[in-house]
Amino acid sequence: MEKALLEYLICPFCAGSLQVDKVINVKNTRIIDGILSCPCHRYPIVSGILCLQGDETSEKALNLLDMKKTSAALYLMLEGRMMKKIINLTKKLHLAPSFWKIIGFWNWRYWTAYLRYRFSAPNFICSLSLMPVIKEAEGYMLDVCAGVGHFAFMAAKHIPATKIVCVERRFTNLYLAREFFAPHAAGYIDWDASQMLPFVDGFFNSVVCLDSFHYIETKYLFSKEMMRVLNDDGILLIPHIHNSSLSNVLPGTPLSPSHYQNLFSNLEIRMIPEEKMLKDLLSEDAVDLSLTKDEAGDFTLAVSRNTKYFKRYSTSMLFESSPINLIVNPIYKVKKCRSGIHLKLKFPCRLYRAEFPLIERYFEKKLFINNDDLKNEEKGEKKMMWQKRFILIDVPLRFMNRQAVS
Ligand SMILES: C[S@@+](CC[C@H](N)C(=O)[O-])C[C@H]1O[C@@H](n2cnc3c(N)ncnc32)[C@H](O)[C@@H]1O
């Protein structure tokens, strides 16, 4: 956790400021292991992750940190017997397995598929078109309900990683975020977002809550809290919000579009249907926040006190930076032949296929990529075209063992 973040954090129970109580391991400007305190609690920082839950496990972690037993504190905080063992072992033996492999040990089948194929999901792809908006907002970005940090990884290509803060209620997700997806984020905070958020008023210029708002029970409180921590010029983006009029494989507790709007009734709000966002991104290199459309599907909600954001943006910046690790989208099975590669769409499981019906509508089912088109720099245009169709995707270095395309 970046020390600079400390002055903007508050205790979610007493709203007091957080002070450094004990530092065990530091790396440059970051506290890796240590303890923070406020007027009412002490909070552990384990492997760079600040745990604000104040529960029995945190108490045990504090005891271990007081004895400087940092590896034992990490072992305690991680979830799943196999996950604990594997992460412990890989650290001891200095191994560097891929995320794809590690996540298989959580023994939580659908979550594994969801995370392995997150870069392929249409709702995730749509959310990427919001990057120009986040870039325009500048300043700090909060990724709340961050999962393992897929979105933070993509955002770090467009804003400094040290301006990103991830909040998530599962410590293990944050551990994976720090290890694989967003290693340089300013903060990783283990906290249940259905309660008060642990930040001072108006700290963030953008707040993003992707594919999660429908899972929060305290929607009224959560909407107020997200607006409280957002500054007057900032923007709240809630991509992929479930619509209660639509059946969903994992619905959470969704509302109707008008009930979501009521949560933000005194603010400027736009609702953008997800399928329109996908079409605009894929065929027009654009995202349009100028209009509200109340359609039957899932959608993105954009809320601000400032109307400057409600316009059309070009999304071409998404493909302008040099890729880190460009691979064939894992949703495609790859078969090599002498002249190139054959790709065939293959879903990881039936549930995934049911959750993401837009994949079959917007992704080619089969295609062939010629070796020459991949290797020949003069044919860079083709590579760009495949990136723009998300057939080639840029992923973290240790995401999976699939070979990068040259
Ligand atoms: C469907 S996942 C989305 C993850 C990520 N935003 C993405 O789109 O890749 C929902 C995430 O919200 C987290 N979550 C659910 N309820 C939460 C809560 N009350 N507080 C914090 N995180 C929560 C879950 O642990 C999970 O990681």
Side-chain angles (χ1 to χ4, degrees), residues 34-92:
I35 297 175
L36 300 185
S37 64
C38 73
C40 70
H41 274 80
R42 292 172 87 219
Y43 296 110
I45 300 178
V46 179
S47 283
I49 301 157
L50 170 63
C51 317
L52 293 179
Q53 305 279 8
D55 56 8
E56 211 179 300
T57 313
S58 308
E59 282 302 317
K60 286 183 187 162
L62 283 170
N63 289 339
L64 291 168
L65 291 179
D66 277 329
M67 293 184 279
K68 297 197 175 165
K69 294 186 174 176
T70 55
S71 301
L74 174 61
Y75 192 88
L76 169 82
M77 296 300 296
L78 288 168
E79 276 178 76
R81 208 161 46 91
M82 285 303 280
M83 270 306 243
K84 285 176 188 283
K85 284 192 174 162
I86 288 295
I87 289 176
N88 194 23
L89 198 69
T90 55
K91 281 177 94 70
K92 265 191 191 148

Side-chain angles (χ1 to χ4, degrees), residues 53 79 106 108 111 114-115 118-119 123-124 127 143-152 167-171 173 189-195 197 208-218 222 239-240 242 250 355:
Q53 305 279 8
E79 276 178 76
W106 203 340
W108 193 0
W111 187 234
Y114 180 92
L115 295 178
R118 192 73 190 115
F119 290 120
N123 64 29
F124 183 79
S127 74
D143 184 356
V144 58
C145 303
V148 301
H150 288 82
F151 189 82
V167 168
E168 161 63 51
R169 73 171 170 191
R170 289 189 178 275
F171 177 93
N173 283 343
I189 302 179
D190 176 3
W191 176 239
D192 183 337
S194 62
Q195 305 170 66
L197 294 175
V208 178
C209 177
L210 168 59
D211 188 11
S212 304
F213 193 77
H214 34 259
Y215 298 125
I216 303 286
E217 286 295 334
T218 55
F222 187 43
H240 191 68
H242 289 168
L250 300 164
E355 190 177 0

